Amino acid sequence: MSQKETVIVLDFGGQYNQLIARRVRDCNVYCEILPYTTKIEKIKEIAPKGIIFTGGPNSVYDESSPHYSAEIFDLGIPILGICYGCQLMAYLLGGKVISAADDAVSEYGKTLTRYSGDNALFHALPEKGVSWMSHRDYISEVPAGFKITAVTDNCPVAAMADESKGFFGVQFHPEVNHTENGKEMIRAFLYNVCKCAGDWRMESFIETTVAQIKEQVGDKGVVLGLSGGVDSSVAAALISKAIGKQLTCVFVDQGLMRKNEGDFVESTFTKLFDMNFVRINCGDEFLAKLKGLTDPEEKRNVIGTEFYNVFWNKIRESYGSGFFAQGTIYPDRIESGKGDAAKIKTHHNQVEQPKDIHFEGTIEPLKDLFKDEVRAVGEKLGLPHELVWRQPFPGPGLGVRVIGEVTAERVKILQEADAILRDEMDKCGYSKEMSQFFAVLPGVKTVGVMGDARTYSELIAIRAVTTDDFMTADWAKIPYEILGRVSNRIINEVSHVNRVVYDITSKPPGTVEWE
Ligand code: XMP
């Protein structure tokens, strides 16, 4: 097979590294993030069209700071250094980097930057613009052969270039939105300097992957654990396109999904796709195991263990040969700056297999894709919009949203309230504005009055957040009219509920889920 056009993002531990890779792929160029410990032989083997050195929190003079062999500059491959990557380039090629321990020239945030247009990176751009800076050290002298291509009031070398070799360095972060024309700079590096063809498209990804799956699987069977989440659903659709009924999807419905969700997943995959679909309804068994439990961690453990047992017992019984497939995606596999390619983050998408089950191999068709690329593939494969754009849903399901003991009656109350919330948010088009929203049953009873009678019933809490990464989140400012409609409907339509409250806690200090 011909080598696919690749750009390497060499990871020195910066916080925006995935963003750099996203920007490159947005320009239709395939790109991979590799740790700075990657051997030069591997880079030669990949033969990338270009290399991007990322930022990083260190100073090039720290003993423990990540470096790379200067041999990389002899490969004849264009290199763009960003922030720390720019300083490292200057340092390794004989320029001078000043360690600004006294903060004298450190720059942070939006900074007015003046560019010279006489180089391939800034050629088509305005002479001035805001760039996003985040550095303490700075370059005071560029290496031989380089010229200064941008400055700020505080930074004598905001960008530098040796065009004859295709080496460019920028002290700021072109990958973040705050840098005006940052995307154009990255595009200019890829197309004007690296001469990329830009053939990374989701259509060709689907075509190539389908062919690879067919070749790898032959006439064997493939089994996939389907959760109904975006990643496993798209993986299922893709594998089904490749091998049809040789694929079996096992869907464990533990009774803790949102209202009608299990049926929706079943009808989607049985009606729209060619595959064997096996649904295991085990809600009663899960409830029996959860009886009397109120501690959040204990509940999580029980749900996790039970899920593991039900799923693998089914596989053991019927499908323990051929190939195992899972919906691992690219961010599941990369760990920023650790520099140890073999170490993979434990993640819910990557399922631990029991030792007694031996598949011939694992198929992870989405392992090189970012989430929005996975969604684009899902849309192209004809998965319903609702599934492709699904919000994250925790593995333990409503088990962590029914606070305290989980009973069939309490799950039902929560499902009804949550369905009303989703319906109202969808109707006014507000769902799209949210990263995640849901109802919680806190297990608190309060006094109310309905008709002329006193009530003493359950409370429903509404949780809604906006976030980019779920590491931090803001509580969403849902308009009062919508909250009012949701509250009225929940109290009128869901029995045993007489009060609704809105959670106005950000993360931190709160978490998104209540348990
Ligand atoms: P927290 O509550 O930690 O949630 O702020 C952050 C995001 O992770 C989701 N979440 C989970 N996802 N298994 C999952 O697959 C889990 O056990 C789990 N717990 C929380 C949560 O819904 C939010 O999107």
Side-chain angles (χ1 to χ4, degrees):
M1 209 186 333
S2 68
Q3 183 112 8
K4 83 176 147 198
E5 178 177 272
T6 303
V7 162
I8 287 176
V9 173
L10 204 56
D11 180 357
F12 290 100
Q15 55 179 320
Y16 304 125
N17 299 348
Q18 288 203 29
L19 201 50
I20 300 174
R22 285 295 309 117
R23 296 282 179 254
V24 173
R25 292 203 193 174
D26 281 345
C27 295
N28 301 114
V29 174
Y30 179 74
C31 128
E32 280 195 31
I33 303 174
L34 294 181
Y36 72 94
T37 46
T38 304
K39 297 248 178 331
I40 198 148
E41 285 71 29
K42 166 127 194 224
I43 293 182
K44 284 186 196 162
E45 204 180 292
I46 295 172
K49 297 285 279 188
I51 298 172
I52 299 178
F53 289 180
T54 73
N58 303 71
S59 161
V60 289
Y61 295 110
D62 288 349
E63 264 181 35
S64 57
S65 68
H67 275 213
Y68 203 84
S69 158
E71 252 186 280
I72 197 163
F73 297 107
D74 300 329
L75 300 180
I77 299 171
I79 300 178
L80 170 65
I82 294 177
C83 194
Y84 175 82
C86 176
Q87 292 166 5
L88 187 68
M89 179 184 266
Y91 174 78
L92 292 174
L93 291 172
K96 198 162 170 198
V97 179
I98 303 284
S99 198
D102 60 358
D103 263 10
V105 289
S106 71
E107 287 177 307
Y108 185 80
K110 292 181 178 178
T111 310
L112 184 67
T113 308
R114 290 184 292 280
Y115 304 100
S116 65
D118 61 350
N119 64 89
L121 220 54
F122 306 137
H123 177 63
L125 303 182
E127 280 173 16
K128 275 196 240 170
V130 165
S131 74
W132 182 260
M133 290 283 189
S134 173
H135 68 107
R136 285 162 71 93
D137 291 6
Y138 69 99
I139 299 165
S140 62
E141 276 173 36
V142 297
F146 277 75
K147 62 187 178 188
I148 296 172
T149 55
V151 293
T152 70
D153 286 347
N154 288 320
C155 187
V157 183
M160 62 180 196
D162 177 350
E163 290 210 74
S164 66
K165 301 211 168 86
F167 298 156
F168 293 79
V170 291
Q171 182 56 70
F172 53 88
H173 288 272
E175 70 277 20
V176 305
N177 280 333
H178 303 304
T179 296
E180 287 171 347
N181 299 308
K183 289 175 200 162
E184 285 68 24
M185 294 171 197
I186 291 173
R187 176 174 287 279
F189 176 68
L190 298 171
Y191 286 92
N192 301 348
V193 181
C194 304
K195 309 288 180 206
C196 288
D199 50 12
W200 173 247
R201 296 273 188 297
M202 285 308 114
E203 290 83 353
S204 46
F205 167 83
I206 293 174
E207 224 171 88
T208 323
T209 311
V210 163
Q212 276 167 355
I213 294 171
K214 277 186 181 154
E215 194 187 317
Q216 185 181 359
V217 171
D219 58 2
K220 304 266 168 53
V222 174
V223 62
L224 173 113
L226 187 70
S227 69
V230 180
D231 305 337
S232 65
S233 296
V234 175
L238 192 56
I239 300 171
S240 150
K241 187 175 167 72
I243 57 168
K245 287 237 164 3
Q246 284 167 257
L247 169 67
T248 300
C249 286
V250 177
F251 170 52
V252 178
D253 186 345
Q254 33 38 337
L256 299 171
M257 302 190 72
R258 286 172 283 208
K259 187 180 177 186
N260 298 335
E261 204 160 28
D263 295 344
F264 172 66
V265 171
E266 177 171 349
S267 74
T268 299
F269 287 97
T270 48
K271 292 199 182 122
L272 300 183
F273 295 93
D274 186 26
M275 63 171 67
N276 295 307
F277 184 89
V278 178
R279 175 171 175 179
I280 308 174
N281 285 318
C282 47
D284 291 344
E285 289 84 336
F286 271 67
L287 286 178
K289 296 268 177 196
L290 286 166
K291 197 167 166 35
L293 298 186
T294 54
D295 178 72
E297 278 311 297
E298 225 179 313
K299 283 164 60 182
R300 272 176 181 271
N301 283 339
V302 164
I303 296 171
T305 309
E306 189 61 12
F307 191 93
Y308 185 89
N309 291 339
V310 170
F311 179 73
W312 288 110
N313 284 341
K314 185 73 186 172
I315 303 291
R316 216 173 257 122
E317 189 185 295
S318 320
Y319 310 104
S321 64
F323 291 84
F324 183 66
Q326 49 192 5
T328 316
I329 69 171
Y330 195 45
D332 300 338
R333 296 195 298 126
I334 38 180
E335 229 185 330
S336 173
K338 284 284 182 326
D340 177 0
K343 189 168 173 225
I344 292 169
K345 210 195 293 191
T346 317
H347 190 279
H348 66 280
N349 272 345
Q350 290 175 318
V351 187
E352 203 186 312
Q353 292 181 18
K355 299 261 180 300
D356 64 317
I357 295 184
H358 305 286
F359 286 103
E360 284 183 36
T362 305
I363 296 176
E364 297 178 302
L366 311 176
K367 70 180 189 333
D368 293 330
L369 302 192
F370 284 103
K371 193 80 172 188
D372 45 355
E373 293 174 316
V374 171
R375 291 201 161 108
V377 169
E379 297 263 20
K380 291 212 185 309
L381 291 169
L383 277 167
H385 187 81
E386 192 181 336
L387 224 165
V388 169
W389 290 96
R390 236 186 126 200
Q391 294 177 4
F393 189 63
L398 299 185
V400 292
R401 294 181 184 167
V402 170
I403 311 303
E405 188 180 5
V406 184
T407 63
E409 192 197 23
R410 303 189 72 218
V411 170
K412 176 101 174 69
I413 292 174
L414 181 59
Q415 282 176 330
E416 296 299 330
D418 188 70
I420 290 171
L421 171 65
R422 279 191 290 147
D423 183 47
E424 286 298 329
M425 294 286 274
D426 286 347
K427 276 204 286 219
C428 62
Y430 214 74
S431 299
K432 296 193 285 290
E433 316 275 322
M434 302 290 101
S435 305
Q436 196 173 8
F437 64 87
F438 50 86
V440 178
L441 187 72
V444 172
K445 285 194 168 182
T446 70
V447 173
V449 52
M450 271 173 136
D452 287 329
R454 175 187 190 270
T455 57
Y456 185 56
S457 311
E458 295 275 3
L459 167 77
I460 284 285
I462 294 169
R463 179 68 163 147
V465 295
T466 54
T467 172
D468 285 333
D469 55 11
F470 292 93
M471 311 282 281
T472 61
D474 283 329
W475 61 274
K477 315 296 180 287
I478 299 181
Y480 286 166
E481 309 87 77
I482 304 176
L483 288 172
R485 277 202 298 276
V486 171
S487 166
N488 279 344
R489 277 195 59 196
I490 290 179
I491 289 165
N492 286 324
E493 296 174 33
V494 185
S495 21
H496 310 297
V497 176
N498 69 348
R499 192 180 294 265
V500 175
V501 296
Y502 188 42
D503 179 352
I504 53 168
T505 321
S506 291
K507 174 183 178 178
T511 51
V512 175
E513 302 289 345
W514 277 35
E515 280 195 340

mmCIF file with all atom_site columns, all heavy atoms in Angstrom, residues 39-57:
data_model
loop_
_atom_site.group_PDB
_atom_site.id
_atom_site.type_symbol
_atom_site.label_atom_id
_atom_site.label_alt_id
_atom_site.label_comp_id
_atom_site.label_asym_id
_atom_site.label_entity_id
_atom_site.label_seq_id
_atom_site.pdbx_PDB_ins_code
_atom_site.Cartn_x
_atom_site.Cartn_y
_atom_site.Cartn_z
_atom_site.occupancy
_atom_site.B_iso_or_equiv
_atom_site.pdbx_formal_charge
_atom_site.auth_seq_id
_atom_site.auth_comp_id
_atom_site.auth_asym_id
_atom_site.auth_atom_id
_atom_site.pdbx_PDB_model_num
ATOM 1   N N   . LYS A 1 39 ? 12.216 7.419  18.138 1.00 0.00 ? 39 LYS A N   1
ATOM 2   C CA  . LYS A 1 39 ? 13.533 7.268  17.500 1.00 0.00 ? 39 LYS A CA  1
ATOM 3   C C   . LYS A 1 39 ? 13.523 7.900  16.111 1.00 0.00 ? 39 LYS A C   1
ATOM 4   O O   . LYS A 1 39 ? 12.516 7.844  15.401 1.00 0.00 ? 39 LYS A O   1
ATOM 5   C CB  . LYS A 1 39 ? 13.848 5.773  17.342 1.00 0.00 ? 39 LYS A CB  1
ATOM 6   C CG  . LYS A 1 39 ? 13.957 5.026  18.652 1.00 0.00 ? 39 LYS A CG  1
ATOM 7   C CD  . LYS A 1 39 ? 15.390 4.593  18.861 1.00 0.00 ? 39 LYS A CD  1
ATOM 8   C CE  . LYS A 1 39 ? 15.683 3.878  20.149 1.00 0.00 ? 39 LYS A CE  1
ATOM 9   N NZ  . LYS A 1 39 ? 14.901 4.153  21.328 1.00 0.00 ? 39 LYS A NZ  1
ATOM 10  N N   . ILE A 1 40 ? 14.666 8.427  15.737 1.00 0.00 ? 40 ILE A N   1
ATOM 11  C CA  . ILE A 1 40 ? 14.738 9.097  14.430 1.00 0.00 ? 40 ILE A CA  1
ATOM 12  C C   . ILE A 1 40 ? 14.491 8.114  13.284 1.00 0.00 ? 40 ILE A C   1
ATOM 13  O O   . ILE A 1 40 ? 13.938 8.476  12.247 1.00 0.00 ? 40 ILE A O   1
ATOM 14  C CB  . ILE A 1 40 ? 16.077 9.851  14.270 1.00 0.00 ? 40 ILE A CB  1
ATOM 15  C CG1 . ILE A 1 40 ? 15.951 10.879 13.151 1.00 0.00 ? 40 ILE A CG1 1
ATOM 16  C CG2 . ILE A 1 40 ? 17.246 8.910  14.037 1.00 0.00 ? 40 ILE A CG2 1
ATOM 17  C CD1 . ILE A 1 40 ? 16.758 12.102 13.340 1.00 0.00 ? 40 ILE A CD1 1
ATOM 18  N N   . GLU A 1 41 ? 14.827 6.852  13.510 1.00 0.00 ? 41 GLU A N   1
ATOM 19  C CA  . GLU A 1 41 ? 14.593 5.825  12.465 1.00 0.00 ? 41 GLU A CA  1
ATOM 20  C C   . GLU A 1 41 ? 13.098 5.733  12.147 1.00 0.00 ? 41 GLU A C   1
ATOM 21  O O   . GLU A 1 41 ? 12.702 5.561  11.006 1.00 0.00 ? 41 GLU A O   1
ATOM 22  C CB  . GLU A 1 41 ? 15.081 4.427  12.919 1.00 0.00 ? 41 GLU A CB  1
ATOM 23  C CG  . GLU A 1 41 ? 16.581 4.243  12.911 1.00 0.00 ? 41 GLU A CG  1
ATOM 24  C CD  . GLU A 1 41 ? 17.284 5.025  14.008 1.00 0.00 ? 41 GLU A CD  1
ATOM 25  O OE1 . GLU A 1 41 ? 16.661 5.243  15.073 1.00 0.00 ? 41 GLU A OE1 1
ATOM 26  O OE2 . GLU A 1 41 ? 18.441 5.442  13.790 1.00 0.00 ? 41 GLU A OE2 1
ATOM 27  N N   . LYS A 1 42 ? 12.284 5.839  13.207 1.00 0.00 ? 42 LYS A N   1
ATOM 28  C CA  . LYS A 1 42 ? 10.835 5.751  12.989 1.00 0.00 ? 42 LYS A CA  1
ATOM 29  C C   . LYS A 1 42 ? 10.368 6.947  12.152 1.00 0.00 ? 42 LYS A C   1
ATOM 30  O O   . LYS A 1 42 ? 9.520  6.804  11.265 1.00 0.00 ? 42 LYS A O   1
ATOM 31  C CB  . LYS A 1 42 ? 10.131 5.701  14.350 1.00 0.00 ? 42 LYS A CB  1
ATOM 32  C CG  . LYS A 1 42 ? 8.648  5.932  14.298 1.00 0.00 ? 42 LYS A CG  1
ATOM 33  C CD  . LYS A 1 42 ? 7.843  4.847  14.974 1.00 0.00 ? 42 LYS A CD  1
ATOM 34  C CE  . LYS A 1 42 ? 6.384  4.952  14.597 1.00 0.00 ? 42 LYS A CE  1
ATOM 35  N NZ  . LYS A 1 42 ? 5.476  4.793  15.699 1.00 0.00 ? 42 LYS A NZ  1
ATOM 36  N N   . ILE A 1 43 ? 10.926 8.111  12.443 1.00 0.00 ? 43 ILE A N   1
ATOM 37  C CA  . ILE A 1 43 ? 10.531 9.301  11.674 1.00 0.00 ? 43 ILE A CA  1
ATOM 38  C C   . ILE A 1 43 ? 10.950 9.129  10.207 1.00 0.00 ? 43 ILE A C   1
ATOM 39  O O   . ILE A 1 43 ? 10.183 9.419  9.290  1.00 0.00 ? 43 ILE A O   1
ATOM 40  C CB  . ILE A 1 43 ? 11.144 10.563 12.305 1.00 0.00 ? 43 ILE A CB  1
ATOM 41  C CG1 . ILE A 1 43 ? 10.497 10.777 13.672 1.00 0.00 ? 43 ILE A CG1 1
ATOM 42  C CG2 . ILE A 1 43 ? 10.965 11.788 11.407 1.00 0.00 ? 43 ILE A CG2 1
ATOM 43  C CD1 . ILE A 1 43 ? 10.938 12.000 14.422 1.00 0.00 ? 43 ILE A CD1 1
ATOM 44  N N   . LYS A 1 44 ? 12.147 8.579  10.000 1.00 0.00 ? 44 LYS A N   1
ATOM 45  C CA  . LYS A 1 44 ? 12.611 8.356  8.621  1.00 0.00 ? 44 LYS A CA  1
ATOM 46  C C   . LYS A 1 44 ? 11.674 7.385  7.898  1.00 0.00 ? 44 LYS A C   1
ATOM 47  O O   . LYS A 1 44 ? 11.332 7.568  6.735  1.00 0.00 ? 44 LYS A O   1
ATOM 48  C CB  . LYS A 1 44 ? 14.024 7.760  8.634  1.00 0.00 ? 44 LYS A CB  1
ATOM 49  C CG  . LYS A 1 44 ? 15.104 8.772  8.950  1.00 0.00 ? 44 LYS A CG  1
ATOM 50  C CD  . LYS A 1 44 ? 16.457 8.092  8.785  1.00 0.00 ? 44 LYS A CD  1
ATOM 51  C CE  . LYS A 1 44 ? 17.555 8.881  9.439  1.00 0.00 ? 44 LYS A CE  1
ATOM 52  N NZ  . LYS A 1 44 ? 18.771 8.103  9.683  1.00 0.00 ? 44 LYS A NZ  1
ATOM 53  N N   . GLU A 1 45 ? 11.262 6.360  8.634  1.00 0.00 ? 45 GLU A N   1
ATOM 54  C CA  . GLU A 1 45 ? 10.377 5.355  8.044  1.00 0.00 ? 45 GLU A CA  1
ATOM 55  C C   . GLU A 1 45 ? 9.045  5.971  7.609  1.00 0.00 ? 45 GLU A C   1
ATOM 56  O O   . GLU A 1 45 ? 8.523  5.691  6.549  1.00 0.00 ? 45 GLU A O   1
ATOM 57  C CB  . GLU A 1 45 ? 10.123 4.320  9.138  1.00 0.00 ? 45 GLU A CB  1
ATOM 58  C CG  . GLU A 1 45 ? 9.731  2.950  8.687  1.00 0.00 ? 45 GLU A CG  1
ATOM 59  C CD  . GLU A 1 45 ? 9.544  2.105  9.945  1.00 0.00 ? 45 GLU A CD  1
ATOM 60  O OE1 . GLU A 1 45 ? 10.558 1.835  10.647 1.00 0.00 ? 45 GLU A OE1 1
ATOM 61  O OE2 . GLU A 1 45 ? 8.388  1.781  10.245 1.00 0.00 ? 45 GLU A OE2 1
ATOM 62  N N   . ILE A 1 46 ? 8.513  6.843  8.471  1.00 0.00 ? 46 ILE A N   1
ATOM 63  C CA  . ILE A 1 46 ? 7.229  7.486  8.132  1.00 0.00 ? 46 ILE A CA  1
ATOM 64  C C   . ILE A 1 46 ? 7.409  8.452  6.964  1.00 0.00 ? 46 ILE A C   1
ATOM 65  O O   . ILE A 1 46 ? 6.511  8.665  6.173  1.00 0.00 ? 46 ILE A O   1
ATOM 66  C CB  . ILE A 1 46 ? 6.659  8.224  9.371  1.00 0.00 ? 46 ILE A CB  1
ATOM 67  C CG1 . ILE A 1 46 ? 6.319  7.221  10.471 1.00 0.00 ? 46 ILE A CG1 1
ATOM 68  C CG2 . ILE A 1 46 ? 5.440  9.060  9.017  1.00 0.00 ? 46 ILE A CG2 1
ATOM 69  C CD1 . ILE A 1 46 ? 5.923  7.840  11.795 1.00 0.00 ? 46 ILE A CD1 1
ATOM 70  N N   . ALA A 1 47 ? 8.618  9.003  6.854  1.00 0.00 ? 47 ALA A N   1
ATOM 71  C CA  . ALA A 1 47 ? 8.928  9.984  5.806  1.00 0.00 ? 47 ALA A CA  1
ATOM 72  C C   . ALA A 1 47 ? 7.868  11.083 5.737  1.00 0.00 ? 47 ALA A C   1
ATOM 73  O O   . ALA A 1 47 ? 7.198  11.249 4.704  1.00 0.00 ? 47 ALA A O   1
ATOM 74  C CB  . ALA A 1 47 ? 9.068  9.283  4.459  1.00 0.00 ? 47 ALA A CB  1
ATOM 75  N N   . PRO A 1 48 ? 7.687  11.832 6.834  1.00 0.00 ? 48 PRO A N   1
ATOM 76  C CA  . PRO A 1 48 ? 6.630  12.852 6.835  1.00 0.00 ? 48 PRO A CA  1
ATOM 77  C C   . PRO A 1 48 ? 6.945  13.989 5.871  1.00 0.00 ? 48 PRO A C   1
ATOM 78  O O   . PRO A 1 48 ? 8.106  14.238 5.572  1.00 0.00 ? 48 PRO A O   1
ATOM 79  C CB  . PRO A 1 48 ? 6.645  13.361 8.279  1.00 0.00 ? 48 PRO A CB  1
ATOM 80  C CG  . PRO A 1 48 ? 8.033  13.117 8.759  1.00 0.00 ? 48 PRO A CG  1
ATOM 81  C CD  . PRO A 1 48 ? 8.487  11.855 8.066  1.00 0.00 ? 48 PRO A CD  1
ATOM 82  N N   . LYS A 1 49 ? 5.881  14.657 5.431  1.00 0.00 ? 49 LYS A N   1
ATOM 83  C CA  . LYS A 1 49 ? 6.065  15.832 4.571  1.00 0.00 ? 49 LYS A CA  1
ATOM 84  C C   . LYS A 1 49 ? 6.549  17.015 5.393  1.00 0.00 ? 49 LYS A C   1
ATOM 85  O O   . LYS A 1 49 ? 7.125  17.951 4.856  1.00 0.00 ? 49 LYS A O   1
ATOM 86  C CB  . LYS A 1 49 ? 4.733  16.211 3.915  1.00 0.00 ? 49 LYS A CB  1
ATOM 87  C CG  . LYS A 1 49 ? 4.165  15.170 3.010  1.00 0.00 ? 49 LYS A CG  1
ATOM 88  C CD  . LYS A 1 49 ? 4.895  15.095 1.705  1.00 0.00 ? 49 LYS A CD  1
ATOM 89  C CE  . LYS A 1 49 ? 4.420  16.181 0.749  1.00 0.00 ? 49 LYS A CE  1
ATOM 90  N NZ  . LYS A 1 49 ? 4.975  16.015 -0.587 1.00 0.00 ? 49 LYS A NZ  1
ATOM 91  N N   . GLY A 1 50 ? 6.257  16.977 6.696  1.00 0.00 ? 50 GLY A N   1
ATOM 92  C CA  . GLY A 1 50 ? 6.687  18.067 7.561  1.00 0.00 ? 50 GLY A CA  1
ATOM 93  C C   . GLY A 1 50 ? 6.622  17.624 9.008  1.00 0.00 ? 50 GLY A C   1
ATOM 94  O O   . GLY A 1 50 ? 5.998  16.602 9.325  1.00 0.00 ? 50 GLY A O   1
ATOM 95  N N   . ILE A 1 51 ? 7.316  18.380 9.876  1.00 0.00 ? 51 ILE A N   1
ATOM 96  C CA  . ILE A 1 51 ? 7.321  18.060 11.304 1.00 0.00 ? 51 ILE A CA  1
ATOM 97  C C   . ILE A 1 51 ? 6.974  19.343 12.059 1.00 0.00 ? 51 ILE A C   1
ATOM 98  O O   . ILE A 1 51 ? 7.457  20.427 11.684 1.00 0.00 ? 51 ILE A O   1
ATOM 99  C CB  . ILE A 1 51 ? 8.722  17.560 11.743 1.00 0.00 ? 51 ILE A CB  1
ATOM 100 C CG1 . ILE A 1 51 ? 9.074  16.270 10.986 1.00 0.00 ? 51 ILE A CG1 1
ATOM 101 C CG2 . ILE A 1 51 ? 8.778  17.320 13.253 1.00 0.00 ? 51 ILE A CG2 1
ATOM 102 C CD1 . ILE A 1 51 ? 10.507 15.792 11.186 1.00 0.00 ? 51 ILE A CD1 1
ATOM 103 N N   . ILE A 1 52 ? 6.161  19.205 13.093 1.00 0.00 ? 52 ILE A N   1
ATOM 104 C CA  . ILE A 1 52 ? 5.863  20.375 13.932 1.00 0.00 ? 52 ILE A CA  1
ATOM 105 C C   . ILE A 1 52 ? 6.331  20.061 15.353 1.00 0.00 ? 52 ILE A C   1
ATOM 106 O O   . ILE A 1 52 ? 5.927  19.054 15.934 1.00 0.00 ? 52 ILE A O   1
ATOM 107 C CB  . ILE A 1 52 ? 4.351  20.702 13.917 1.00 0.00 ? 52 ILE A CB  1
ATOM 108 C CG1 . ILE A 1 52 ? 3.904  21.026 12.486 1.00 0.00 ? 52 ILE A CG1 1
ATOM 109 C CG2 . ILE A 1 52 ? 4.047  21.867 14.857 1.00 0.00 ? 52 ILE A CG2 1
ATOM 110 C CD1 . ILE A 1 52 ? 2.425  21.327 12.321 1.00 0.00 ? 52 ILE A CD1 1
ATOM 111 N N   . PHE A 1 53 ? 7.216  20.898 15.873 1.00 0.00 ? 53 PHE A N   1
ATOM 112 C CA  . PHE A 1 53 ? 7.628  20.765 17.279 1.00 0.00 ? 53 PHE A CA  1
ATOM 113 C C   . PHE A 1 53 ? 6.595  21.503 18.117 1.00 0.00 ? 53 PHE A C   1
ATOM 114 O O   . PHE A 1 53 ? 6.328  22.682 17.867 1.00 0.00 ? 53 PHE A O   1
ATOM 115 C CB  . PHE A 1 53 ? 8.976  21.452 17.541 1.00 0.00 ? 53 PHE A CB  1
ATOM 116 C CG  . PHE A 1 53 ? 10.187 20.780 16.956 1.00 0.00 ? 53 PHE A CG  1
ATOM 117 C CD1 . PHE A 1 53 ? 11.449 21.344 17.157 1.00 0.00 ? 53 PHE A CD1 1
ATOM 118 C CD2 . PHE A 1 53 ? 10.106 19.595 16.241 1.00 0.00 ? 53 PHE A CD2 1
ATOM 119 C CE1 . PHE A 1 53 ? 12.589 20.755 16.638 1.00 0.00 ? 53 PHE A CE1 1
ATOM 120 C CE2 . PHE A 1 53 ? 11.247 18.994 15.709 1.00 0.00 ? 53 PHE A CE2 1
ATOM 121 C CZ  . PHE A 1 53 ? 12.489 19.585 15.907 1.00 0.00 ? 53 PHE A CZ  1
ATOM 122 N N   . THR A 1 54 ? 6.054  20.864 19.129 1.00 0.00 ? 54 THR A N   1
ATOM 123 C CA  . THR A 1 54 ? 5.011  21.520 19.930 1.00 0.00 ? 54 THR A CA  1
ATOM 124 C C   . THR A 1 54 ? 5.635  22.421 21.001 1.00 0.00 ? 54 THR A C   1
ATOM 125 O O   . THR A 1 54 ? 6.841  22.402 21.226 1.00 0.00 ? 54 THR A O   1
ATOM 126 C CB  . THR A 1 54 ? 4.141  20.502 20.675 1.00 0.00 ? 54 THR A CB  1
ATOM 127 O OG1 . THR A 1 54 ? 4.909  19.953 21.760 1.00 0.00 ? 54 THR A OG1 1
ATOM 128 C CG2 . THR A 1 54 ? 3.670  19.392 19.776 1.00 0.00 ? 54 THR A CG2 1
ATOM 129 N N   . GLY A 1 55 ? 4.754  23.116 21.683 1.00 0.00 ? 55 GLY A N   1
ATOM 130 C CA  . GLY A 1 55 ? 5.169  23.846 22.872 1.00 0.00 ? 55 GLY A CA  1
ATOM 131 C C   . GLY A 1 55 ? 5.416  22.874 24.013 1.00 0.00 ? 55 GLY A C   1
ATOM 132 O O   . GLY A 1 55 ? 5.317  21.654 23.842 1.00 0.00 ? 55 GLY A O   1
ATOM 133 N N   . GLY A 1 56 ? 5.744  23.417 25.161 1.00 0.00 ? 56 GLY A N   1
ATOM 134 C CA  . GLY A 1 56 ? 5.979  22.577 26.330 1.00 0.00 ? 56 GLY A CA  1
ATOM 135 C C   . GLY A 1 56 ? 6.291  23.482 27.510 1.00 0.00 ? 56 GLY A C   1
ATOM 136 O O   . GLY A 1 56 ? 6.647  24.644 27.313 1.00 0.00 ? 56 GLY A O   1
ATOM 137 N N   . PRO A 1 57 ? 6.139  22.974 28.717 1.00 0.00 ? 57 PRO A N   1
ATOM 138 C CA  . PRO A 1 57 ? 6.262  23.841 29.892 1.00 0.00 ? 57 PRO A CA  1
ATOM 139 C C   . PRO A 1 57 ? 7.705  24.126 30.311 1.00 0.00 ? 57 PRO A C   1
ATOM 140 O O   . PRO A 1 57 ? 7.936  24.908 31.210 1.00 0.00 ? 57 PRO A O   1
ATOM 141 C CB  . PRO A 1 57 ? 5.556  23.015 30.980 1.00 0.00 ? 57 PRO A CB  1
ATOM 142 C CG  . PRO A 1 57 ? 5.704  21.606 30.548 1.00 0.00 ? 57 PRO A CG  1
ATOM 143 C CD  . PRO A 1 57 ? 5.769  21.599 29.063 1.00 0.00 ? 57 PRO A CD  1
#
